[in-house]
């Protein structure tokens, strides 16, 4: 079995640097995916808070106009009804938007998982290149040491 020729130092450094750059790009992509997920979570929290406010407003409107405001209902009835319908429409729009935002979150989470896997692969490849180059350097040192020992033995024999 023939042994592959060792890489030059420049080629070895370049190979390792390319792997390091891929790891760096994978980390950047992971950071972007994490930011997207955080944005999606923030949008969902904000939407849920908006939905809660609309529901509270609808309940407060109903309580007011069925209780203390009921005496003024004949006078303000149409405006109260229009206001209630507007609140219900805002609530419905927010509920539909929440569904879209949850889908966006699922996509962001899937992308985040993919980016984590990409980073793990890039790091594994970088580690493999680093280990290969260290092994190659170790083998070269051993070969030099063996050569030096052989030369020393030959010099010893030549003296005797």
């Amino acid at each position: 079995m023939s042994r592959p020729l060792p890489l030059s130092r420049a080629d070895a450094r370049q190979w390792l640097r390319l792997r390091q750059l891929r790891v760096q790009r994978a980390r950047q992509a992971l950071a972007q995916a994490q930011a997207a997920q955080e944005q999606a979570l923030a949008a969902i929290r904000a939407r849920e808070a908006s939905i809660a406010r609309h529901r509270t407003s609808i309940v407060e409107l109903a309580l007011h106009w069925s209780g203390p405001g009921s005496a003024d209902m004949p006078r303000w009835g149409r405006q109260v009804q229009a206001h209630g319908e507007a609140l219900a429409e805002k609530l419905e729009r927010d509920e539909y938007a929440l569904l879209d935002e949850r889908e966006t979150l699922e996509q962001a989470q899937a992308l985040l998982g993919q980016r984590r896997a990409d980073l793990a692969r890039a790091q594994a490849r970088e580690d493999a290149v680093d280990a290969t180059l260290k092994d190659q350097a170790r083998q070269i040192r051993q070969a030099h040491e063996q050569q030096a020992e052989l030369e020393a033995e030959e010099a010893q024999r030549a003296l005797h």
Side-chain angles (χ1 to χ4, degrees):
M1 178 168 99
S2 68
R3 203 180 222 179
L5 294 175
L7 293 173
S8 69
R9 283 187 170 194
D11 288 343
R13 279 194 306 268
Q14 184 177 14
W15 189 25
L16 183 58
R17 183 66 183 136
L18 288 172
R19 290 298 175 189
Q20 290 169 339
L21 288 173
R22 286 186 179 159
V23 169
Q24 182 181 2
R25 281 194 310 269
R27 282 190 179 124
Q28 290 169 344
L30 177 61
Q32 290 172 347
Q34 286 171 329
Q37 180 189 20
E38 290 168 10
Q39 285 177 331
L41 283 169
I44 287 173
R45 286 187 200 113
R47 187 69 63 187
E48 288 172 340
S50 178
I51 288 171
R53 283 192 306 275
H54 292 318
R55 287 181 178 157
T56 300
S57 295
I58 290 170
V59 168
E60 288 173 351
L61 182 69
L63 287 175
H64 176 76
W65 290 104
S66 65
S70 62
D72 293 331
M73 192 61 165
R75 180 175 164 200
W76 297 103
R78 290 185 194 267
Q79 287 86 354
V80 170
Q81 182 180 0
H83 184 63
E85 289 171 359
L87 287 173
E89 185 177 322
K90 286 179 185 178
L91 175 62
E92 185 177 357
R93 274 190 265 136
D94 276 349
E95 288 172 339
Y96 280 116
L98 180 61
L99 294 174
D100 291 341
E101 288 164 351
R102 285 185 176 153
E103 184 177 322
T104 299
L105 175 61
E106 288 175 12
Q107 292 170 353
Q109 289 170 331
L111 181 61
L112 182 60
Q114 180 62 43
R115 294 299 182 242
R116 282 186 177 129
D118 292 346
L119 176 58
R121 275 193 303 280
Q123 285 176 325
R125 288 177 178 150
E126 178 191 9
D127 292 344
V129 167
D130 189 43
T132 299
L133 295 176
K134 285 178 181 174
D135 186 50
Q136 181 184 35
R138 182 184 51 76
Q139 289 174 0
I140 290 170
R141 277 193 311 274
Q142 285 177 342
H144 288 301
E145 289 171 6
Q146 288 173 352
Q147 184 65 34
E149 287 175 12
L150 288 174
E151 289 173 2
E153 286 176 11
E154 286 179 15
Q156 197 74 348
R157 275 188 241 149
L159 289 177
H160 293 296

